[in-house]
Amino acid sequence: MRTAMLLLFLVGACAGDEVDPSNDCAKVLYDSCATEHDCTTDASCRFFSDADFAACTQSCDANTPCPDGPDGMPATCNAQSVCQPVAPNGCRLVPGA
């Protein structure tokens, strides 16, 4: 019985291990987002329904091309005149941060 309780305690202690914050989203262009607060003031959170993800983005047009995405691939200026990356940056979205 004591062994089982000790085992449960040790397993529970591991469940709260710290997550490496170096991979947290920085709220910059093409980072994952859920709300406007997840992006800096020069980027806005947009859900791309055709790609099924949300990312911080910026406006674009023929005179203002989109910066490359996180994978080095060019993002496209979509029909809503916002830059759409192939995928969001590979960062961890931290709600409320």
Side-chain angles (χ1 to χ4, degrees):
M1 176 72 163
R2 286 178 120 182
T3 304
M5 288 179 66
L6 179 61
L7 181 60
L8 284 174
F9 174 78
L10 291 175
V11 169
C14 293
D17 287 349
E18 291 294 317
V19 177
D20 180 9
S22 66
N23 196 34
D24 290 353
C25 291
K27 302 182 179 188
V28 296
L29 189 63
Y30 307 140
D31 272 1
S32 294
C33 62
T35 71
E36 290 299 316
H37 301 290
D38 296 328
C39 302
T40 58
T41 55
D42 58 339
S44 62
C45 185
R46 179 68 73 118
F47 179 72
F48 299 102
S49 58
D50 58 332
D52 197 31
F53 67 81
C56 298
T57 188
Q58 67 182 29
S59 60
C60 56
D61 58 34
N63 296 321
T64 310
C66 297
D68 288 347
D71 54 5
M73 297 295 292
T76 58
C77 189
N78 69 15
Q80 288 79 39
S81 296
V82 294
C83 296
Q84 181 174 348
V86 175
N89 290 336
C91 60
R92 183 178 71 94
L93 182 60
V94 180

